[in-house]
Amino acid sequence: MALDIPSAIGAIAALGTAAFGLVDALKGVAGGPSNFGFRYVKTTLLPFAPALNVVGADAFLETLRANWINGMAMDDQKAKAKALIHLGLTEANAKALAQAAGLDAAALAAVAAKIDAGTPLGTNDVNIVGRFDAIVSARLDAGYERADQFYRDASKLLSGIVAIILAVCGDVVLNNPIPLFGAVLIGIVATPLAPIAKDLTSSLAAAVDAISAVKR
């Protein structure tokens, strides 16, 4: 029987969606795949630990992790992290933060003291704050972008593995109408699609449909 190409494409697309859906469903277990990449955010924030300790390192990281897992807009996540770093800047930790940002320690400490005292900032002070802000922003941009790239790549890899497993299971359910290699190839082709939540039953059904469509 001739291959029904439109049906095959649709079935394979459904398999990819089902695989991404299963991976997405794993987020209900302590964040699951949503945790992928967050370690890059933590590494980026490490040089600013003196400020984090003022705010509360555990609370700080938990807040950012919650934002990361929930998929808050990237710009909003970076803005939240930067705001908390600024909040934790004090005269006492200014030297350490200045070293992390490559700024003059005395100048940053003076700015922190004025902020704590509510004293108006001069032009030079504003410049120091601007440089500190720019450096923090650049560091956060690099960290979050690397984290996002790792998350996307790891999620695709995991989804690909799930899609292959589903395709092989579908092939077995239909008593192996196509070679094992063909089922694996279907799983690989089905991977690059958007995630939609599905349960195991619908995922296996999609796998069976994909195998059946290719068989035709």
Side-chain angles (χ1 to χ4, degrees):
M1 187 177 295
L3 174 64
D4 185 348
I5 294 180
S7 295
I9 293 176
I12 293 174
L15 173 60
T17 300
F20 268 108
L22 278 178
V23 172
D24 196 56
L26 293 176
K27 295 177 181 180
V29 183
S34 292
N35 290 291
F36 292 159
F38 188 68
R39 63 189 177 91
Y40 291 101
V41 175
K42 293 194 292 185
T43 300
T44 298
L45 296 172
L46 188 60
F48 304 102
L52 310 190
N53 292 333
V54 172
V55 179
D58 292 337
F60 183 96
L61 289 175
E62 279 305 309
T63 297
L64 297 184
R65 179 174 175 273
N67 294 338
W68 177 261
I69 289 176
N70 288 330
M72 178 185 286
M74 193 69 68
D75 288 341
D76 292 340
Q77 291 189 57
K78 289 185 283 190
K80 178 70 69 65
K82 184 168 63 176
L84 291 174
I85 290 173
H86 277 286
L87 182 63
L89 173 63
T90 66
E91 186 177 5
N93 61 31
K95 180 178 180 180
L97 293 175
Q99 291 177 342
L103 298 175
D104 181 81
L108 187 60
V111 170
K114 289 183 179 180
I115 293 175
D116 288 340
T119 304
L121 301 180
T123 302
N124 290 336
D125 298 328
V126 172
N127 289 336
I128 290 294
V129 172
R131 291 175 60 190
F132 181 72
D133 183 81
I135 292 170
V136 171
S137 295
R139 298 280 182 84
L140 290 176
D141 282 342
Y144 271 94
E145 291 302 323
R146 181 69 183 91
D148 185 58
Q149 179 187 33
F150 184 86
Y151 165 75
R152 287 185 282 106
D153 291 344
S155 294
K156 287 179 182 178
L157 176 61
L158 181 57
S159 297
I161 294 172
V162 172
I164 291 171
I165 293 174
L166 290 176
V168 171
C169 289
D171 191 35
V172 171
V173 168
L174 293 175
N175 295 318
N176 306 105
I178 62 174
L180 177 62
F181 173 79
V184 172
L185 182 60
I186 288 173
I188 294 174
V189 173
T191 301
L193 298 168
I196 298 176
K198 298 285 183 182
D199 57 22
L200 180 59
T201 302
S202 60
S203 298
L204 286 173
V208 170
D209 288 342
I211 297 297
S212 299
V214 172
K215 179 185 175 183
R216 292 196 298 268

